[in-house]
Amino acid sequence: MNSAVEAPGHVADPGRRVTTLELFFDLVFVFVLTQLTVLLTADLSFATAGRVALVFVVLFWMYAAYAYLTNQVPPDRPSRRLLLMLGMAGFMVCALAIPRVFDDTGVVFGLGFLLVVVVHTALYTRSHGYDSIWYGVPNALAALSVTAAGTVDGLAADGLWLLALVLQFVTPFIAERGPGRADGRTPDALRAQLGSLDPAHFVERHGLLLIVAFGESVIAIGIGIGDLPLTAGLFGGAFLALAVVTALWWTYFVRDERLAEAAFAATPPPARFRLAMNAYYYAFLPMLLGIAFLAAGVKKTLGHLTQHPHTAPALALAGGVALFLAGDVAFRAVLRLRPVRFRLAAVPVALAAALLGVRTSAAVELLALVAVLVGMLAVEARWGSRVQALARA
């Protein structure tokens, strides 16, 4: 890998930065994550966790599409801004329908999702013209599948949700191979067009989404405390929960974001689109879901710190941290950022903290998670110092 990726590098072109309208858009999307946490907290079970993951994967596909869209079509004109705001309204409809999406609001959710797709396709015509049909049609079919799922129950509904997921996963392959046949463009030329990303903007956009998602975990601390008396023990638990979130922030933002931007800048455009998909969609999914599960676990346990938590809340806490770390391991592996082995080793250790919590208390589990994350970061820092010393020598 290019040395600019493995050492603190400098990207020559500062690139375009994220606009406040895009950040506003991200705030609306993070409300989706909040609503999914509400759904999960109401019934903390494996079945609900699976459905939460299914809904989020479907929605995050369209968020990723909008992040790519505004990278290619900046919202710098009134018509584009108004369309982007209409897309925000579609996400808001989806978010409001989430708590009962598998009961009686599935059709409303699907129609909101269809609005998101239609607006996205309309904006995409500004940069890709008629080629937008190759992305718009599969996405619209996925939205119609989700809408149809709202009219049925049970396995039929779950099957239609899975069909929407399949349609989304095949869309990148259609996008790479479908357009350009009429005018004779080669597959490499098409990939270069799809990969014409602004690295600085793309990396910053997803980093801002992650930092706002961390805010959901901080809010969960306040909700978990509720109107309980503010004792020293409760403050200690709140600080432990905040320490877990802070350590996860450190895991990504202290080094990975800067190196990811350098990795994208060093990647030729034909390979950049696939790199973006692998790093900021497939790898980011478990990271964001991990934050949602962690927030649900904090809400369920913070008011009962000295008690033995049930298996589900204990798994939500430890599983959320482990899922985030697993996603970060995949993220680093895709971008070839070193080291990976320390974070990979921390995944099962963090998950094992759930057993400690069930047998002792939520406070002990939180303390163990803080110890795992801080220990991992400390070992990594020592490894980095040794590598730098060898490089200087």
Side-chain angles (χ1 to χ4, degrees), residues 131-266:
D131 283 347
S132 302
I133 192 173
W134 296 97
Y135 327 112
V137 170
N139 286 334
L141 290 174
L144 291 173
S145 182
V146 169
T147 306
T151 64
V152 294
D153 298 316
L155 291 177
D158 292 339
L160 286 167
W161 274 92
L162 288 173
L163 175 60
L165 196 61
V166 170
L167 286 166
Q168 290 179 339
F169 271 68
V170 301
T171 298
F173 300 98
I174 297 173
E176 285 184 333
R177 292 165 176 81
R181 293 295 179 258
D183 55 16
R185 278 178 292 165
T186 65
D188 285 342
L190 294 171
R191 293 188 188 99
Q193 181 188 18
L194 290 169
S196 57
L197 292 165
D198 184 317
H201 175 272
F202 195 76
V203 172
E204 183 186 22
R205 179 76 187 275
H206 287 84
L208 288 172
L209 173 66
L210 198 61
I211 197 69
V212 176
F214 279 135
E216 162 65 17
S217 297
V218 175
I219 292 171
I221 296 173
I223 295 175
I225 291 175
D227 57 357
L228 294 172
L230 296 179
T231 62
L234 197 59
F235 275 120
F239 290 147
L240 284 175
L242 184 61
V244 170
V245 178
T246 303
L248 292 179
W249 170 87
W250 194 295
T251 299
Y252 177 82
F253 283 100
V254 166
R255 189 166 179 264
D256 287 11
E257 187 179 41
R258 171 173 47 83
L259 297 183
E261 184 177 333
F264 269 95

Side-chain angles (χ1 to χ4, degrees), residues 286-357:
M287 293 170 71
L288 289 165
L289 274 173
I291 294 173
F293 290 149
L294 174 64
V298 168
K299 287 180 182 178
K300 282 289 190 179
T301 58
L302 208 53
H304 314 281
L305 283 169
T306 58
Q307 302 175 12
H308 295 270
H310 295 295
T311 303
L315 270 177
L317 278 176
V321 172
L323 195 57
F324 181 93
L325 290 177
D328 189 60
V329 166
F331 179 83
R332 284 194 149 211
V334 166
L335 294 173
R336 299 182 183 180
L337 308 182
R338 297 186 301 164
V340 173
R341 61 183 183 273
F342 303 124
R343 301 187 182 196
L344 183 61
V347 172
V349 180
L351 191 58
L355 294 174
L356 187 63

Side-chain angles (χ1 to χ4, degrees), residues 25 61-70 72-73 79-80 83-84 86-88 91 112-144 168 171:
F25 183 98
W61 167 253
M62 284 314 301
Y63 170 82
Y66 270 87
Y68 184 89
L69 167 71
T70 54
Q72 302 290 294
V73 186
S79 60
R80 294 179 180 181
L83 280 173
L84 194 60
L86 190 58
M88 290 164 57
F91 271 119
F113 190 58
L114 184 60
L115 176 61
V116 168
V117 171
V118 169
V119 172
H120 177 267
T121 307
L123 275 168
Y124 239 123
T125 60
R126 308 297 175 89
S127 63
H128 290 249
Y130 289 111
D131 283 347
S132 302
I133 192 173
W134 296 97
Y135 327 112
V137 170
N139 286 334
L141 290 174
L144 291 173
Q168 290 179 339
T171 298

